[in-house]
Amino acid sequence: MATRWGICGAGNISHDFSFIVAVAARSLESAEKFAKTHGIPKAYGSYQELVKDPNIDVLYIGVLHTHHLQVGLLFLNAGKNVLCEKPFAMNLREVRQLVSAARENNVFLMEAVWSRCFPVYAEVGRLLSESAVGQVKMVKVYFGLPLLDRERATQKEQGGGALMDIGIYCLQFALMVFKGERPESIHATGVLLPSGTVNITIALVTVHIHCAKCIYLRWFLARKGLFFFSFFVMLMPFDVAHPMHCPTVLELNGKKTEFPLPEPGLPLNFHNSTGLRYEAEEVRRCLLKGLKESIKMSLTDSELLIEIMDEARRQVGVVYEQDSQ
């Protein structure tokens, strides 16, 4: 049986999503235009109408992340399964509200960090679990995009800033490699933009007996993730790139393996967006098994991710309106 999706929001990211039976936007005109483009049978002019549709198995939230808490609670408290676009919410307090609502209503909830569902990430996880590349000593993650001309990425009232927009990909990548291990210390530096958002660098340090591990993250630079492993007496690069947040190529010890994506049916707004099907397939897998969260991007993962982001923002002085509510 097909998984019946409802889409909340008619923006660019929702355009690249698929498998839809209904869409809702803040205006009926926007919803109807979106529905016509994608051949969706139902269009609603409010999220309240969408949540009442009994023929929807799961809702994808693709609105601006400043609205994730309000819309997420609306759907979760109505007993709807939810896939919510990243970042889950504006801070740890809001994320915990969403997680609590999902558990109280016994419904599925997942943060749409689509990277976690790409085949390349699955292969990296396999190599790590089998210790096929030695012990992880360091993770360096670089990711940059020219977004300073986009209000969504820079304006504080829209939840802008490098950390919330693309820095989250760097953090989740490092946390995946270290299997969700909590860092013992977080050191963040950044340059505030005129809007009050930030370009930022973070170092996460975890110390074990006779072993130190450092995660060094920086964005608005290149677009790749680089592992360093101890391997006999040398360091071996392990490259996930092209680009790292939606990779289709894995390079190990100079050998490249490609994981090509399906061709899109319509022009895309974002690079490699046909990869969104991987997170949709993961949600379907979980729903068919009766699971309430995914092991690929667990709710615990999401809480730790936003907790680190909150601390990084605190250190560099980025405060959103939602932090004082």
Side-chain angles (χ1 to χ4, degrees), residues 1 19 83 93 111 116 138 155 193 202 233 236 243 255 300-301:
M1 187 176 94
F19 316 110
L83 173 66
R93 176 184 56 82
E111 183 176 13
R116 291 288 182 98
M138 180 184 293
Q155 297 303 307
L193 302 176
I202 299 178
V233 293
M236 180 179 64
K255 181 182 178 181
T300 300
D301 290 337

PDB file of all heavy atoms in Angstrom, residues 1 19 83 93 111 116 138 155 193 202 233 236 243 255 300-301:
ATOM      1  N   MET A   1       0.838  -1.195   0.000  1.00  0.00           N
ATOM      2  CA  MET A   1       0.000   0.000   0.000  1.00  0.00           C
ATOM      3  C   MET A   1       0.876   1.249   0.000  1.00  0.00           C
ATOM      4  O   MET A   1       1.898   1.292   0.691  1.00  0.00           O
ATOM      5  CB  MET A   1      -0.898   0.017   1.240  1.00  0.00           C
ATOM      6  CG  MET A   1      -1.923   1.138   1.228  1.00  0.00           C
ATOM      7  SD  MET A   1      -3.042   1.044   2.650  1.00  0.00           S
ATOM      8  CE  MET A   1      -2.198   2.121   3.783  1.00  0.00           C
ATOM      9  N   PHE A  19       5.357  12.188  -3.740  1.00  0.00           N
ATOM     10  CA  PHE A  19       4.449  11.195  -3.125  1.00  0.00           C
ATOM     11  C   PHE A  19       3.332  11.898  -2.344  1.00  0.00           C
ATOM     12  O   PHE A  19       3.069  11.575  -1.186  1.00  0.00           O
ATOM     13  CB  PHE A  19       5.215  10.244  -2.181  1.00  0.00           C
ATOM     14  CG  PHE A  19       6.506   9.745  -2.722  1.00  0.00           C
ATOM     15  CD1 PHE A  19       7.701  10.171  -2.190  1.00  0.00           C
ATOM     16  CD2 PHE A  19       6.529   8.846  -3.766  1.00  0.00           C
ATOM     17  CE1 PHE A  19       8.907   9.698  -2.688  1.00  0.00           C
ATOM     18  CE2 PHE A  19       7.732   8.374  -4.267  1.00  0.00           C
ATOM     19  CZ  PHE A  19       8.917   8.812  -3.725  1.00  0.00           C
ATOM     20  N   LEU A  83       7.114  14.262   9.425  1.00  0.00           N
ATOM     21  CA  LEU A  83       8.508  14.440   9.004  1.00  0.00           C
ATOM     22  C   LEU A  83       8.712  15.945   8.909  1.00  0.00           C
ATOM     23  O   LEU A  83       8.097  16.604   8.071  1.00  0.00           O
ATOM     24  CB  LEU A  83       8.759  13.780   7.645  1.00  0.00           C
ATOM     25  CG  LEU A  83      10.134  14.037   7.023  1.00  0.00           C
ATOM     26  CD1 LEU A  83      11.242  13.407   7.861  1.00  0.00           C
ATOM     27  CD2 LEU A  83      10.192  13.517   5.576  1.00  0.00           C
ATOM     28  N   ARG A  93      14.546  23.845  23.778  1.00  0.00           N
ATOM     29  CA  ARG A  93      13.231  23.872  24.439  1.00  0.00           C
ATOM     30  C   ARG A  93      12.124  23.533  23.443  1.00  0.00           C
ATOM     31  O   ARG A  93      11.233  22.724  23.737  1.00  0.00           O
ATOM     32  CB  ARG A  93      12.986  25.254  25.045  1.00  0.00           C
ATOM     33  CG  ARG A  93      11.592  25.411  25.670  1.00  0.00           C
ATOM     34  CD  ARG A  93      11.371  26.835  26.158  1.00  0.00           C
ATOM     35  NE  ARG A  93      11.576  27.799  25.094  1.00  0.00           N
ATOM     36  CZ  ARG A  93      10.644  28.098  24.179  1.00  0.00           C
ATOM     37  NH1 ARG A  93       9.470  27.467  24.186  1.00  0.00           N
ATOM     38  NH2 ARG A  93      10.893  28.986  23.248  1.00  0.00           N
ATOM     39  N   GLU A 111      13.214  14.322  12.265  1.00  0.00           N
ATOM     40  CA  GLU A 111      13.774  15.529  11.678  1.00  0.00           C
ATOM     41  C   GLU A 111      14.319  15.178  10.298  1.00  0.00           C
ATOM     42  O   GLU A 111      15.054  14.202  10.143  1.00  0.00           O
ATOM     43  CB  GLU A 111      14.895  16.088  12.556  1.00  0.00           C
ATOM     44  CG  GLU A 111      15.477  17.392  12.050  1.00  0.00           C
ATOM     45  CD  GLU A 111      16.530  17.963  12.998  1.00  0.00           C
ATOM     46  OE1 GLU A 111      16.975  17.233  13.900  1.00  0.00           O
ATOM     47  OE2 GLU A 111      16.900  19.134  12.830  1.00  0.00           O
ATOM     48  N   ARG A 116      21.241  11.798   6.293  1.00  0.00           N
ATOM     49  CA  ARG A 116      21.337  10.535   7.034  1.00  0.00           C
ATOM     50  C   ARG A 116      20.759   9.351   6.246  1.00  0.00           C
ATOM     51  O   ARG A 116      21.058   8.201   6.563  1.00  0.00           O
ATOM     52  CB  ARG A 116      20.606  10.664   8.371  1.00  0.00           C
ATOM     53  CG  ARG A 116      21.257  11.598   9.378  1.00  0.00           C
ATOM     54  CD  ARG A 116      22.527  10.991   9.956  1.00  0.00           C
ATOM     55  NE  ARG A 116      23.158  11.828  10.952  1.00  0.00           N
ATOM     56  CZ  ARG A 116      23.009  11.687  12.271  1.00  0.00           C
ATOM     57  NH1 ARG A 116      22.222  10.729  12.742  1.00  0.00           N
ATOM     58  NH2 ARG A 116      23.646  12.484  13.105  1.00  0.00           N
ATOM     59  N   MET A 138      39.987  11.962  13.953  1.00  0.00           N
ATOM     60  CA  MET A 138      39.573  13.336  13.728  1.00  0.00           C
ATOM     61  C   MET A 138      38.560  13.393  12.596  1.00  0.00           C
ATOM     62  O   MET A 138      38.618  12.596  11.659  1.00  0.00           O
ATOM     63  CB  MET A 138      40.778  14.222  13.376  1.00  0.00           C
ATOM     64  CG  MET A 138      40.424  15.689  13.117  1.00  0.00           C
ATOM     65  SD  MET A 138      41.856  16.663  12.610  1.00  0.00           S
ATOM     66  CE  MET A 138      42.818  16.602  14.129  1.00  0.00           C
ATOM     67  N   GLN A 155      18.501  36.752   7.680  1.00  0.00           N
ATOM     68  CA  GLN A 155      17.689  37.587   8.558  1.00  0.00           C
ATOM     69  C   GLN A 155      17.314  36.858   9.846  1.00  0.00           C
ATOM     70  O   GLN A 155      16.815  35.735   9.815  1.00  0.00           O
ATOM     71  CB  GLN A 155      16.417  38.041   7.836  1.00  0.00           C
ATOM     72  CG  GLN A 155      16.698  38.924   6.626  1.00  0.00           C
ATOM     73  CD  GLN A 155      17.516  40.151   6.999  1.00  0.00           C
ATOM     74  OE1 GLN A 155      17.150  40.902   7.908  1.00  0.00           O
ATOM     75  NE2 GLN A 155      18.619  40.372   6.296  1.00  0.00           N
ATOM     76  N   LEU A 193      26.882  38.977  11.387  1.00  0.00           N
ATOM     77  CA  LEU A 193      26.451  39.773  10.258  1.00  0.00           C
ATOM     78  C   LEU A 193      25.663  40.982  10.769  1.00  0.00           C
ATOM     79  O   LEU A 193      25.232  41.008  11.925  1.00  0.00           O
ATOM     80  CB  LEU A 193      25.568  38.918   9.343  1.00  0.00           C
ATOM     81  CG  LEU A 193      26.197  37.636   8.789  1.00  0.00           C
ATOM     82  CD1 LEU A 193      25.166  36.855   7.986  1.00  0.00           C
ATOM     83  CD2 LEU A 193      27.401  37.955   7.934  1.00  0.00           C
ATOM     84  N   ILE A 202      33.142  25.892  14.804  1.00  0.00           N
ATOM     85  CA  ILE A 202      32.946  25.167  16.060  1.00  0.00           C
ATOM     86  C   ILE A 202      33.966  24.040  16.166  1.00  0.00           C
ATOM     87  O   ILE A 202      34.229  23.340  15.196  1.00  0.00           O
ATOM     88  CB  ILE A 202      31.531  24.565  16.165  1.00  0.00           C
ATOM     89  CG1 ILE A 202      30.462  25.662  16.114  1.00  0.00           C
ATOM     90  CG2 ILE A 202      31.380  23.757  17.442  1.00  0.00           C
ATOM     91  CD1 ILE A 202      29.057  25.114  16.162  1.00  0.00           C
ATOM     92  N   VAL A 233      50.383   2.865  10.131  1.00  0.00           N
ATOM     93  CA  VAL A 233      51.204   3.964  10.643  1.00  0.00           C
ATOM     94  C   VAL A 233      50.976   5.247   9.843  1.00  0.00           C
ATOM     95  O   VAL A 233      51.784   6.149   9.853  1.00  0.00           O
ATOM     96  CB  VAL A 233      52.710   3.595  10.587  1.00  0.00           C
ATOM     97  CG1 VAL A 233      53.001   2.487  11.556  1.00  0.00           C
ATOM     98  CG2 VAL A 233      53.143   3.195   9.169  1.00  0.00           C
ATOM     99  N   MET A 236      44.823   8.092   6.633  1.00  0.00           N
ATOM    100  CA  MET A 236      44.193   7.805   5.349  1.00  0.00           C
ATOM    101  C   MET A 236      42.972   8.697   5.168  1.00  0.00           C
ATOM    102  O   MET A 236      42.070   8.702   6.003  1.00  0.00           O
ATOM    103  CB  MET A 236      43.763   6.342   5.304  1.00  0.00           C
ATOM    104  CG  MET A 236      43.089   5.937   4.003  1.00  0.00           C
ATOM    105  SD  MET A 236      42.635   4.191   4.029  1.00  0.00           S
ATOM    106  CE  MET A 236      41.441   4.174   5.340  1.00  0.00           C
ATOM    107  N   PRO A 243      27.967  17.319  -3.185  1.00  0.00           N
ATOM    108  CA  PRO A 243      28.582  17.906  -1.997  1.00  0.00           C
ATOM    109  C   PRO A 243      28.275  17.055  -0.778  1.00  0.00           C
ATOM    110  O   PRO A 243      27.493  16.118  -0.867  1.00  0.00           O
ATOM    111  CB  PRO A 243      27.884  19.263  -1.902  1.00  0.00           C
ATOM    112  CG  PRO A 243      26.509  18.997  -2.442  1.00  0.00           C
ATOM    113  CD  PRO A 243      26.667  17.925  -3.502  1.00  0.00           C
ATOM    114  N   LYS A 255      40.027   5.229  -4.036  1.00  0.00           N
ATOM    115  CA  LYS A 255      39.043   4.551  -4.874  1.00  0.00           C
ATOM    116  C   LYS A 255      37.677   5.196  -4.699  1.00  0.00           C
ATOM    117  O   LYS A 255      37.177   5.321  -3.582  1.00  0.00           O
ATOM    118  CB  LYS A 255      38.962   3.070  -4.505  1.00  0.00           C
ATOM    119  CG  LYS A 255      37.963   2.296  -5.349  1.00  0.00           C
ATOM    120  CD  LYS A 255      37.879   0.838  -4.926  1.00  0.00           C
ATOM    121  CE  LYS A 255      36.844   0.086  -5.734  1.00  0.00           C
ATOM    122  NZ  LYS A 255      36.734  -1.340  -5.317  1.00  0.00           N
ATOM    123  N   THR A 300      16.778  11.386  19.845  1.00  0.00           N
ATOM    124  CA  THR A 300      17.933  11.694  20.695  1.00  0.00           C
ATOM    125  C   THR A 300      19.008  12.423  19.897  1.00  0.00           C
ATOM    126  O   THR A 300      19.634  13.361  20.383  1.00  0.00           O
ATOM    127  CB  THR A 300      18.510  10.403  21.296  1.00  0.00           C
ATOM    128  OG1 THR A 300      17.499   9.753  22.076  1.00  0.00           O
ATOM    129  CG2 THR A 300      19.711  10.699  22.182  1.00  0.00           C
ATOM    130  N   ASP A 301      19.223  11.991  18.651  1.00  0.00           N
ATOM    131  CA  ASP A 301      20.167  12.671  17.763  1.00  0.00           C
ATOM    132  C   ASP A 301      19.764  14.130  17.578  1.00  0.00           C
ATOM    133  O   ASP A 301      20.595  15.041  17.635  1.00  0.00           O
ATOM    134  CB  ASP A 301      20.205  11.996  16.393  1.00  0.00           C
ATOM    135  CG  ASP A 301      20.855  10.629  16.422  1.00  0.00           C
ATOM    136  OD1 ASP A 301      21.645  10.361  17.350  1.00  0.00           O
ATOM    137  OD2 ASP A 301      20.579   9.825  15.514  1.00  0.00           O
TER     138      ASP A 301
END
